[in-house]
Amino acid sequence: MPTKRDYYEVLGIDRDATDEEIRKAFRKLAFKYHPDHNQDDKTGERFKEVNEAYEVLSDADKRAAYDRFGHSGAEGLFGRGFEGFDFGGFGDIFDAFFGGAATATRQAPRRGADLSYEITITFEEAALGCEKGVSISRTELCSLCQGVGSKPGSQPARCPNCNGSGQVRRVHQSLFGRFAQTATCNQCHGEGHVITEPCPQCRGTGKEKHKRKISVRIPAGVNNGSHIRLRGEGEAGTRGGSPGNLYITLSVKEHEFFTRQGDDILYELPIDFAQAALGTEVEVLTLNDKTKLKVPAGSQTGQVFRLKGQGIAHLHGSGHGDLLVTLFVATPDSLTEKQRQLLRELGESLSPDNMPDLKKWRGFSQRGL
């Protein structure tokens, strides 16, 4: 027969431990090694050892005999010791310490699942706002039984297995005594009732699929990847739970001419050499229409004109961004002979004083570059 370990060592306490310290140590180890919580092969033996140590050390007379004579003293005082010990005497100690096993609660209302949908909109729609219709397929409460699941005119019956509580209590006999567990009823699945006459439309589920068209208001100023939440437009809830939400993700198409930078719009305006040199008035595209822009004489490529308030609406505030027009002086790629001759004559008549960039270059040349 293997040598028994010291009971104080088994519980991991000092020899002068108080009753409360003994109780706390036992409570911790009993929970750890209880067979219903630990499936290790040595669980039963360890649990029995912990239980045996506590049985002795928690009793003043037994503890005094053990402290004086050790294991032999305890066995001599109480006969056969703990061989074949009937742990039924502990009965509900585990329940008293821990309230039994984890108890199941009756099924609570559950919120419906969320749905997601993607909408593609134009650059202008994102900037100015719009309204779109989307078609979604979702689960809703049955329109015939209103989600009850029973045939109209009939009522669900109380579950005979759990008597309407939605829970069943099972008692297991273990080394430690009776171990009670409360679990969800497997017949009514925690509902407390069973459907005796199912609804012919939803077949007792209380739900059915529907395709719905929903109007979505898209505010001005949204961007690519923006999300819109529509509360309560998702799947139906269960057991009276609220429906989920519908999340709309926006995909914004690229514009032929415009580029977005924050709430400003960037627009590159091509003009010819004569317009840049002499100055002109040109039409510029805007989100809503067109507007006139005066280009002063001598304007250069890369020069930026800011049109206030012609940009994108601020999504989280009032006002709009600006329209930034960048000039691009285009060089002709095909000329008639007459045009060539005119340009030659123009070129011969020009001097560095007419050309700002050439004026700078002349300065470098004079320094020997």
Side-chain angles (χ1 to χ4, degrees):
M1 174 181 280
T3 303
K4 288 186 177 182
R5 287 202 300 156
D6 180 79
Y7 288 151
Y8 292 96
E9 180 185 343
V10 170
L11 296 182
I13 57 177
D14 297 327
R15 301 191 74 83
D16 59 350
T18 64
D19 291 344
E20 183 60 25
E21 289 172 337
I22 293 173
R23 180 184 295 272
K24 287 183 178 179
F26 168 72
R27 179 176 179 174
K28 179 180 179 182
L29 293 172
F31 190 88
K32 179 179 180 181
Y33 293 117
H34 195 285
D36 288 339
H37 289 266
N38 193 318
Q39 300 303 318
D40 188 89
D41 293 338
K42 297 182 179 180
T43 292
E45 289 302 318
R46 295 299 299 276
F47 184 77
K48 183 177 179 181
E49 183 182 44
V50 168
N51 194 32
E52 182 178 315
Y54 179 72
E55 172 68 10
V56 171
L57 299 183
S58 63
D59 183 282
D61 293 334
K62 294 178 183 179
R63 181 179 181 182
Y66 177 78
D67 288 343
R68 187 173 182 182
F69 302 107
H71 291 293
S72 60
E75 292 175 6
L77 182 62
F78 298 102
R80 295 181 301 133
F82 291 89
E83 288 187 15
F85 184 82
D86 180 10
F87 290 98
F90 269 60
D92 295 325
I93 287 181
F94 197 82
D95 287 316
F97 279 168
F98 309 110
T103 58
T105 57
R106 188 165 182 169
Q107 298 290 343
R110 181 179 297 176
R111 180 177 171 274
D114 294 330
L115 296 177
S116 59
Y117 194 90
E118 183 173 311
I119 297 179
T120 300
I121 58 177
T122 65
F123 188 95
E124 289 88 350
E125 288 173 332
L128 302 173
C130 63
E131 193 162 311
K132 290 284 186 179
V134 298
S135 293
I136 62 168
S137 179
R138 69 184 182 190
T139 300
E140 299 180 357
L141 295 181
C142 175
S143 57
L144 182 60
C145 69
Q146 305 303 314
V148 176
S150 292
K151 180 181 178 181
S154 67
Q155 293 294 328
R158 176 181 292 182
C159 176
N161 191 43
C162 65
N163 199 31
S165 68
Q167 306 172 20
V168 290
R169 190 172 187 267
R170 301 185 181 94
V171 179
H172 304 280
Q173 192 70 29
S174 69
L175 290 173
F176 194 54
R178 286 180 289 121
F179 182 60
Q181 287 181 307
T182 303
T184 301
C185 176
N186 59 5
Q187 185 168 337
C188 67
H189 306 292
E191 299 289 345
H193 60 263
V194 291
I195 304 297
T196 55
E197 295 184 72
C199 170
Q201 186 161 302
C202 66
R203 298 182 180 180
T205 64
K207 297 180 181 179
E208 56 185 345
K209 278 285 187 181
H210 279 289
K211 195 163 187 178
R212 298 291 186 190
K213 188 167 184 179
I214 299 173
S215 181
V216 182
R217 190 186 71 81
I218 300 174
V222 295
N223 209 337
N224 189 55
S226 293
H227 297 282
I228 296 175
R229 179 177 62 184
L230 301 180
R231 292 182 180 274
E233 295 292 355
E235 301 272 21
T238 303
R239 293 181 289 277
S242 61
N245 299 325
L246 172 62
Y247 289 89
I248 304 293
T249 301
L250 301 177
S251 176
V252 181
K253 294 179 181 179
E254 291 187 359
H255 196 275
E256 185 179 2
F257 303 110
F258 295 149
T259 302
R260 181 169 181 168
Q261 181 177 283
D263 288 338
D264 293 333
I265 297 175
L266 308 183
Y267 174 52
E268 192 173 76
L269 177 66
I271 59 175
D272 59 40
F273 173 76
Q275 290 175 313
L278 300 174
T280 186
E281 186 175 77
V282 294
E283 279 191 337
V284 175
L285 287 176
T286 65
L287 284 172
N288 298 299
D289 197 4
K290 296 178 181 179
T291 189
K292 296 288 186 179
L293 174 66
K294 288 186 176 181
V295 179
S299 294
Q300 305 293 315
T301 291
Q303 191 167 342
V304 179
F305 297 88
R306 182 181 295 271
L307 301 182
K308 289 282 189 179
Q310 293 291 338
I312 296 171
H314 299 316
L315 181 60
H316 301 295
S318 59
H320 294 72
D322 301 328
L323 175 62
L324 306 180
V325 181
T326 302
L327 292 185
F328 170 70
V329 181
T331 302
D333 55 6
S334 61
L335 297 170
T336 65
E337 186 55 39
K338 182 178 181 181
Q339 290 170 332
R340 290 176 182 276
Q341 182 58 37
L342 290 172
L343 283 176
R344 291 191 190 99
E345 294 175 2
L346 176 61
E348 291 172 357
S349 67
L350 293 175
S351 70
D353 292 332
N354 300 115
M355 309 291 287
D357 290 339
L358 290 181
K359 195 182 299 183
K360 296 176 185 177
W361 180 254
R362 183 181 62 177
F364 286 126
S365 299
Q366 290 173 346
R367 290 194 290 270
L369 296 178

